[in-house]
Amino acid sequence: MSLDAVKAGLKEKISEDCGLGAILKFDFGDQGHIVLDATQVPNVISSDDIEAQCTMALSLENFMLMAEGKLDGTMAFMSGKLKIQGDMGIAMKLAPLLA
C-alpha cells in the first residue's frame, strides 16, 4: 500500500475534524511519513516534515494492521512494533478515531 492510499484512508476516517487538537506524525521509516494536523479545522493530512507533539514510529504494514483492527495499539507498543515519542496521551486518543 502506498502513502497516498494511507493518507486517503486516514482522511476518510477522520473527516473534517477528529477532535484531536494536536499535530501527530506517523513515521514509517524509509517509506516516509504522514502528518495529521488536527489543530485546525478542517484537519490537514500531509507529508510535510513538521514538528509534532507526538510521533508514532512503526512500519506501514503494522499501521495497516492497527487500522484494520488486527493489531492492538497497546500490544504493538509493548512488543516494540510501535514507538511513541512525545505526548503519549495524543496517541491514546487516536485509537478510537481509527476504529
Side-chain angles (χ1 to χ4, degrees), residues 1-79:
M1 175 160 289
S2 71
L3 284 183
D4 288 334
V6 172
K7 283 195 292 191
L10 190 57
K11 187 173 279 191
E12 182 181 313
K13 287 266 189 186
I14 64 164
S15 111
E16 285 197 15
D17 184 13
C18 66
L20 199 59
I23 299 175
L24 175 69
K25 184 187 296 185
F26 299 97
D27 182 351
F28 301 118
D30 292 340
Q31 294 174 302
H33 56 269
I34 295 175
V35 174
L36 166 60
D37 183 349
T39 61
Q40 55 187 317
V41 177
N43 296 164
V44 175
I45 298 171
S46 70
S47 295
D48 298 338
D49 193 10
I50 62 174
E51 190 171 323
Q53 290 140 302
C54 179
T55 299
M56 300 174 67
L58 70 164
S59 70
L60 192 54
E61 178 184 349
N62 285 333
F63 175 85
M64 292 307 303
L65 290 172
M66 286 175 58
E68 294 168 358
K70 296 179 181 176
L71 176 62
D72 178 69
T74 303
M75 293 303 296
F77 179 75
M78 298 299 281
S79 66

